Amino acid sequence: MTPEELSAAITSCLKDAVDAGELTVPADALPREVRVERPKSREHGDWATSIALQLAKPAGVPPRKIAEVLQGRLAAIPGVSKVDIAGPGFLNVTVDAAAAGGLAKAIVEAGASYGTNTGMAGTRINLEFVSANPTGPIHLGGTRWAAVGDSLARIFQSQGADVTREYYFNDHGNQIDRFARSLLASAKGEPAPEDGYGGAYIEDIAKEVMSNTPDILSCADPQEEFRAQGVELMFASIRASLHEFGVDFDVYFHENSLFEDGAVEKLLEQLKASGNLYAKDGAWWLNSTGFGDDKDRVVIKSDGHAAYIAGDIAYFKDKRDRGFDLCIYMLGADHHGYVARLKAAAAAMGDDANRVEVLIGQMVNLVKDGVPLRMSKRAGTVVTMEDLVDIVGTDAARYSLARFSSDSNIDIDLDVLTKKSNENPVFYVQYAHARTCAVGRNAAAAGVERTAFDAAALSHPTESELLAVLGQYPGVLTQAAAFREPHRVARHLEVIAGAYHRWYDACRVTPMGDDAVTDVNRTRLWLNDAVGQVLANGLSLLGVSAPERM
RNA sequence: GCCCUCGUAGCUCAGGGGAUAGAGCGGUUGCCUCCGGAGCAACAGGUCGUAGGUUCGAAUCCUAUCGAGGGCACCA
């Protein structure tokens, strides 16, 4: 029995009690779903609900009275062995081992699909993340979004959503010009321009362009040539880094294309016609304050060039035209000012601002010897995605970035990284998975097979705990998707791994010495394999491997 | 000045109205005669930044305040 199943059963008990006139509760006070929780103390049963406390006020009845009404009905739920009323009115439910244990077999049979859901089926989501400018390699900040964004995409998919991973490739405008000028300067052996980019990668790219086009410096517009080739090379290198990191985008969208195919122009006409674009001081402004922004935004500058937001608006329209219901943007905290403007842009076009969802993630800081370190190219403290992967490997990098809430700043200690000392919980989880495999191998050698299954045999306290956390896994995925918080998955895997290690310590799968193989051994093998399955499922949602040996 | 996020164990962080606030790392002490010790058990360690408020109940929600980080362009 999973917590969801119990929750559904309790919800219908409550409804029955109301229908039978045993309780009078206003309809709007009845929860659609009665939440059950795993109590902290085992003395409080397997699952608990505070529904009686919540209904006391709207029903106008003391909570313990409500609990008493529900107690008998809950006790009649198949698989429930005991229902206690505790404290102010908690209902503590104990499930019998046979009902709880059935989950082990169900998980093994569900395999890779255990935990998946169809709650988001039919939703087309465009998830845009990373979108780093092609003027240099992806550094730590972008690496965090690559890990979190890709996991989020996988989690959405596990809930049945149709997800497109998209990278907005910003190849239009000033930054690119600086990049081109920096390449040109490097090629000529001149120092990097004041507002340009330095670093070894600039030299490397300049050299590569030179070797591809030896007479480049004498062509009509060398800077343009460096721009075109340089962007392509940088782009290829970014894609390669992402691929090595296990992140492959479905669409790499070129900002330039919006300007080349006239989408921006068409859109501006549309906005002018709608009256949401007005002229002032020689520029064209979007009336974004009318839609919740804190100031109006220039869309066409007085020099006649489009401002950045022009591309954003056209891009959003393009996404909607491609049929996405929800456009999610993952941005760093340094871009939080965009939230209002992106939503305003959508609204100005007559679309629903709720189609735009912006996830803001806090910064990644480097720390050395306990003091924050500014990332600086000159000081050699820029850490790129490739650096991180080289030092700790993809699994550790992805896991350590995905296990934190995006709301919190994270500090990455250079010393810890370079020591490669693995204080990373990914190993704790991976080790648990490898251990399930080792136990499986030993079981096979000892002749223990998954022939018989006796759910009631899983009666040890560590087994009941392990079954409970396995049962919570699908709900954790649903929550992770609903809150857009992949770190919940990682945290729950750590909980499962802990429960597994404790179980391993207390309960043997293969018999001791020459003891005979019994159904207890066979049943435990099901549980062991179920744990391995759930850990593998969860790790794959994080883009982390589930090794059979370490 | 205005806006966003954070403040929880020595450190890094979970905890999105419930019972005695948790994990990893670090510290102390135990556990290898049998499925992997990258593990397990026990102990130590907390005014949940501060002050009010809502509630039967607040680390959690609201307000104020202090501290940290990040924003507030006819830059992209």
Side-chain angles (χ1 to χ4, degrees):
Chain A
M1 170 161 344
T2 65
E4 277 73 23
E5 287 162 356
L6 183 60
S7 163
I10 294 177
T11 306
S12 82
C13 285
L14 174 60
K15 188 173 174 298
D16 291 348
V18 171
D19 289 347
E22 295 166 25
L23 278 176
T24 309
V25 184
D28 59 353
L30 276 181
R32 275 194 312 129
E33 199 181 334
V34 175
R35 276 178 54 193
V36 297
E37 302 179 341
R38 182 76 179 166
K40 289 181 208 104
S41 163
R42 282 312 316 281
E43 293 156 25
H44 295 145
D46 293 319
W47 303 99
T49 176
S50 60
I51 186 66
L53 296 163
Q54 292 163 39
L55 293 178
K57 177 162 271 187
V61 180
R64 286 193 72 103
K65 272 266 190 292
I66 298 177
E68 281 163 21
V69 169
L70 293 173
Q71 185 176 27
R73 288 181 178 274
L74 300 201
I77 295 172
V80 168
S81 63
K82 193 168 64 140
V83 178
D84 293 322
I85 299 174
F90 290 104
L91 282 159
N92 294 334
V93 178
T94 303
V95 175
D96 52 49
L103 182 64
K105 188 160 184 273
I107 289 171
V108 171
E109 285 167 350
S113 74
Y114 180 67
T116 61
N117 214 316
T118 52
M120 293 179 82
T123 308
R124 291 199 59 198
I125 299 177
N126 181 286
L127 184 66
E128 185 200 325
F129 57 108
V130 185
S131 296
N133 285 349
T135 54
I138 296 179
H139 50 258
L140 273 187
T143 308
R144 182 181 194 180
W145 306 135
V148 174
D150 184 58
S151 280
L152 186 56
R154 293 172 192 235
I155 291 167
F156 282 151
Q157 285 168 331
S158 81
Q159 303 299 297
D162 180 355
V163 182
T164 293
R165 293 168 177 77
E166 193 145 326
Y167 188 122
Y168 187 48
F169 191 55
N170 194 258
D171 51 3
H172 181 93
N174 275 342
Q175 312 250 21
I176 294 295
D177 291 343
R178 289 182 198 166
F179 174 64
R181 271 185 275 122
S182 305
L183 292 177
L184 181 57
S186 169
K188 288 178 174 169
E190 295 168 1
E194 191 68 13
D195 59 353
Y197 299 90
Y201 73 96
I202 290 285
E203 284 175 42
D204 294 343
I205 293 176
K207 277 185 195 143
E208 196 167 343
V209 174
M210 296 267 277
S211 81
N212 289 341
T213 319
D215 56 349
I216 187 166
L217 289 174
S218 55
C219 79
D221 186 352
Q223 185 178 316
E224 167 53 24
E225 199 55 35
F226 272 105
R227 187 200 63 78
Q229 288 195 41
V231 164
E232 274 316 306
L233 290 171
M234 197 67 247
F235 184 34
S237 140
I238 287 173
R239 281 175 72 143
S241 300
L242 286 166
H243 179 74
E244 197 189 337
F245 198 59
V247 180
D248 292 291
F249 286 85
D250 302 300
V251 175
Y252 288 86
F253 194 94
H254 291 252
E255 182 189 12
N256 235 347
S257 69
L258 291 168
F259 292 87
E260 281 165 358
D261 70 7
V264 170
E265 227 161 296
K266 216 171 83 189
L267 178 99
L268 293 177
E269 288 313 314
Q270 195 183 321
L271 280 175
K272 281 180 193 172
S274 76
N276 286 320
L277 213 57
Y278 64 90
K280 192 181 97 181
D281 303 333
W284 285 89
W285 297 70
L286 177 70
N287 168 33
S288 55
T289 45
F291 304 97
D293 201 356
D294 56 352
K295 56 185 72 165
D296 284 353
R297 305 288 169 181
V298 167
V299 178
I300 304 175
K301 298 186 271 186
S302 51
D303 65 4
H305 285 106
Y308 189 71
I309 190 176
D312 276 340
I313 303 172
Y315 184 31
F316 172 71
K317 174 130 183 11
D318 185 90
K319 285 177 179 172
R320 291 286 283 137
D321 289 347
R322 277 185 280 148
F324 294 107
D325 306 310
L326 183 59
C327 300
I328 302 183
Y329 300 73
M330 298 182 69
L331 304 177
D334 52 342
H335 288 74
H336 97 264
Y338 287 32
V339 180
R341 120 181 34 163
L342 285 170
K343 284 179 166 285
M349 293 186 342
D351 207 338
D352 180 353
N354 291 324
R355 302 284 190 184
V356 172
E357 189 176 315
V358 185
L359 306 180
I360 295 298
Q362 299 301 310
M363 310 267 101
V364 179
N365 303 309
L366 279 186
V367 173
K368 192 173 175 64
D369 302 327
V371 289
L373 207 59
R374 272 271 163 211
M375 282 216 228
S376 149
K377 278 175 186 154
R378 267 178 315 185
T381 53
V382 171
V383 177
T384 66
M385 175 180 275
E386 285 185 332
D387 294 337
L388 186 63
V389 170
D390 283 349
I391 296 167
V392 300
T394 303
D395 284 345
R398 287 196 62 151
Y399 192 91
S400 60
L401 290 169
R403 75 185 287 271
F404 297 113
S405 159
S406 296
D407 282 340
S408 60
N409 289 68
I410 54 180
D411 294 329
I412 295 209
D413 190 322
L414 280 182
D415 299 325
V416 172
L417 278 189
T418 46
K419 260 189 291 180
K420 211 170 181 173
S421 94
N422 290 314
E423 298 174 7
N424 194 323
V426 72
F427 298 103
Y428 184 75
V429 176
Q430 286 185 317
Y431 179 67
H433 179 269
R435 193 174 237 185
T436 63
C437 296
V439 168
R441 290 190 293 268
N442 290 327
V448 179
E449 293 176 335
R450 286 195 320 234
T451 43
F453 180 77
D454 172 16
L458 300 175
S459 58
H460 190 274
T462 59
E463 297 184 314
S464 130
E465 184 61 28
L466 188 49
L467 288 161
V469 298
L470 292 174
Q472 287 173 312
Y473 175 77
V476 168
L477 295 194
T478 307
Q479 296 265 298
F483 292 125
R484 286 82 163 104
E485 291 181 344
H487 76 272
R488 289 167 182 271
V489 176
R491 299 292 173 157
H492 194 65
L493 293 183
E494 291 168 26
V495 170
I496 292 173
Y500 176 72
H501 288 311
R502 282 185 287 279
W503 172 69
Y504 172 90
D505 208 53
C507 300
R508 292 183 57 92
V509 172
T510 54
M512 294 273 265
D514 294 330
D515 292 356
V517 173
T518 68
D519 282 356
V520 172
N521 302 111
R522 299 187 183 96
T523 305
R524 284 179 177 168
L525 181 59
W526 284 90
L527 179 58
N528 177 77
D529 293 353
V531 173
Q533 184 69 57
V534 175
L535 291 175
N537 292 358
L539 285 171
S540 92
L541 291 179
L542 298 169
V544 174
S545 71
E548 295 185 6
R549 298 173 200 270
M550 291 175 71

